Amino acid sequence: MLDREKASGIVAEYKQEHIMKYFDELNEEEKEELLKQIEITDFSVLSNLDGNKENIARGTFEPLGAVTIDDISANSSEYIAIGTEAIKAGKAAAVLLAGGQGTRLGFDKPKGMFKIGVEQELYIFQCLINNLMDVVKLTGTWIPLYIMTSEKNNKDTIDFFEEKNYFGYAPEYIRFFIQDMAPSVDFDGKILMESRSKISVSPNGNGGWFSSLVRAGLLNDIRSKGVEWINVFAVDNVLQRICDPSFIGAVIKSGLQSGSKVVSKAAPEEKVGVLCLEDGKPSIVEYYEMTDEMRTLVNEKGELAYKYGVILNYLFNVAKLEEICDQKLPVHIVDKKIPFMDEEGNYIIPTSPNGHKFETLVLDMVHMQDSCLAYEVIREKEFAPVKNATGVDSVDSARELLKANGIKI
Ligand code: UTP
C-alpha cells in the first residue's frame, strides 16, 4: 500500500493537496482508508477538465433510417420466429444497468427499489422482471440476467432481490456485478471530500458495463452459455421490453452488427439523443449537439430527417464487444448534486448541482459498431422513464403510462 510520502506525491501531481490536509489528525484506520482510496482512484480523469468541456470532437453527421413500426408489423411473425429461435438456443442475455445514483429522483435507495405501485406492491425492479418473464413464458427459456450495481448500491440491491425472492425469476439466472467509481470535483476542479478521510467518488457512468462485467469474471459465464447477443437496458424505463424476440429477430435478419430501439421524436426540439451516422458509422448525436438546421431538416417524405430518439435499449453482439472491450470511451463531464464536506468540516447535501462527475456512456459504444439497426417502437407502449419525482419523465407520468398499458398499480 501507499505510504504518506507517495500519497502526497500523487495528490500534488494532480494539484489536489487538500485531500491530505487532515492526514496527521486521522486515526490509524482512517489513515489506511484514505491511503487505500488514493491508491485506487483514477486521477487521470481530471485531465478531461482541461480545454473543451466535453472534450469530444465530433465528425460529420448524416440521418439514419429505421425499420418502422409499419415495417415491423408487416414482418412481425418472421422476426418473432427468428428471435424466439435464438432465445431458445440460449443465444440471448440481458444486462440491467442499475449502478446510477438517480439523483434527479431524489430517492435514497437504488432506483429499482422505488415503489411505482400505488395500491399494489409494485417496484421498478419488479416491473422489469415481470417484463422479462413475459419473454421467458413465451419462449419457455430462462434468460440470463446480469445486473450492474455500484459499490454504493450493491448490497441494498442484492438484499432487496433476495428479500423479494427475485420476483419469481430463477435466481441461478441472475448475476450481479459492480461497476467502477470515479472521483467527483467541484466547479473549480477540486476533488470533493466526503469526510476528512474519504474522497467523494461516484459511479463512473454506464459505459464501462462490459469491461466491469469481464473484470467480474462473467465473460466465462456468457461464453459457456453460448450467448451471442446482449440486450442492455436502463433501470428506469418501467415499460421496457427486454430481450424482445421481435427486436432480436429483426437485428439478426438485418445482418447488422447491433441494434437500438428508437422512438419517433415528438417535436424537433425534444431533448433526446438521436441515432444517426457519424462519418459513416452509427452514432448518437445529443440534442444539445444538434444545430437548428439538423433539428428541423426534413426528408423527401416530409418527416424529420433526424427523427429517431434512443431509449437506452441496445442489442450488442458479444464477439464485437470482446473486440472493442479495451478501447477507450470518451469521458463526459456532467453536473450533479454531490454531497461533500465543506471547509468547516460540515457534511452538506446540496439542493442544486455543485460539481462535476466523470462518466463514460453506453451510447458511445454504438459508434464503435460497424452498423446498427434502428428499430422503431411505439413510445406509449415501451417508454415510461422514471427520471424525476414529478413533471416530465417522472413517477407521475410513468404511473399514467403503466395504467394505460393495463398494468395494475
Ligand atoms: P441516468 O443517466 O439516468 O443517470 O442513467 P442516473 O445516475 O441513474 O440518474 P441521475 O442523472 O443522477 O438522476 C441511465 C441508466 O444508466 C445507469 C442508471 O442506473 C440508469 O439505468 N447508470 C448510470 C449506471 O448503471 N451507472 C452509472 O454510473 C450511471
Side-chain angles (χ1 to χ4, degrees), residues 96-106 111-112 128 148-150 153 179-181 202-209 233-237 240 312 334-337 357-362 386-388:
L96 163 55
L97 304 173
Q101 289 181 293
T103 50
R104 282 170 286 174
L105 181 61
K111 202 186 256 189
L128 300 174
M148 182 167 84
T149 62
S150 80
N153 68 14
Q179 70 170 100
D180 292 339
M181 307 290 275
S202 36
N204 68 345
N206 55 30
W209 68 272
F233 64 99
V235 72
D236 42 34
N237 175 9
Q240 189 95 250
L312 219 173
V334 285
D335 298 352
K336 298 253 175 163
K337 295 182 240 175
K357 288 186 185 176
F358 300 93
E359 297 193 339
T360 59
L361 303 179
V362 60
V386 182
K387 297 284 184 195
N388 307 298

Side-chain angles (χ1 to χ4, degrees), residues 92-303:
V95 170
L96 163 55
L97 304 173
Q101 289 181 293
T103 50
R104 282 170 286 174
L105 181 61
F107 177 59
D108 63 354
K109 291 266 183 319
K111 202 186 256 189
M113 287 173 65
F114 187 84
K115 187 167 161 268
I116 195 80
V118 181
E119 276 146 30
Q120 316 284 323
E121 237 199 45
L122 181 67
Y123 300 92
I124 291 183
F125 278 139
Q126 191 174 3
C127 290
L128 300 174
I129 295 289
N130 289 350
N131 296 349
L132 184 56
M133 278 301 278
D134 289 347
V135 183
V136 170
K137 284 181 196 145
L138 185 84
T139 59
T141 310
W142 288 104
I143 294 169
L145 171 64
Y146 301 92
I147 302 180
M148 182 167 84
T149 62
S150 80
E151 268 158 33
K152 298 216 180 209
N153 68 14
N154 183 60
K155 187 174 181 311
D156 281 346
T157 304
I158 293 179
D159 288 351
F160 188 66
F161 269 93
E162 277 175 7
E163 185 194 315
K164 301 292 177 193
N165 283 323
Y166 300 85
F167 300 107
Y169 212 76
E172 62 274 28
Y173 284 90
I174 298 188
R175 304 290 295 268
F176 297 88
F177 65 102
I178 300 178
Q179 70 170 100
D180 292 339
M181 307 290 275
S184 319
V185 296
D186 66 15
F187 288 136
D188 297 322
K190 229 170 113 179
I191 288 183
L192 292 162
M193 298 298 287
E194 237 171 75
S195 71
R196 297 186 315 165
S197 60
K198 208 156 182 243
I199 296 174
S200 161
V201 288
S202 36
N204 68 345
N206 55 30
W209 68 272
F210 190 68
S211 49
S212 297
L213 188 142
V214 172
R215 207 159 333 109
L218 292 173
L219 186 57
N220 291 338
D221 194 61
I222 285 175
R223 282 189 186 139
S224 70
K225 290 190 162 90
V227 172
E228 290 179 15
W229 297 97
I230 298 185
N231 184 202
V232 183
F233 64 99
V235 72
D236 42 34
N237 175 9
V238 286
L239 285 179
Q240 189 95 250
R241 304 313 304 168
I242 306 156
C243 283
D244 172 358
S246 174
F247 179 38
I248 296 175
V251 174
I252 295 176
K253 175 90 203 295
S254 74
L256 301 184
Q257 201 169 52
S258 62
S260 168
K261 285 205 166 180
V262 294
V263 292
S264 276
K265 276 178 70 164
E269 47 294 328
E270 190 184 349
K271 290 182 177 172
V272 60
V274 167
L275 186 60
C276 62
L277 291 175
E278 179 185 354
D279 297 336
K281 289 181 79 184
S283 188
I284 288 146
V285 57
E286 289 288 0
Y287 67 90
Y288 53 82
E289 295 176 311
M290 288 174 83
T291 58
D292 279 344
E293 195 195 333
M294 280 172 84
R295 268 189 213 112
T296 50
L297 189 72
V298 284
N299 62 17
E300 65 286 353
K301 288 190 235 155
E303 297 166 339

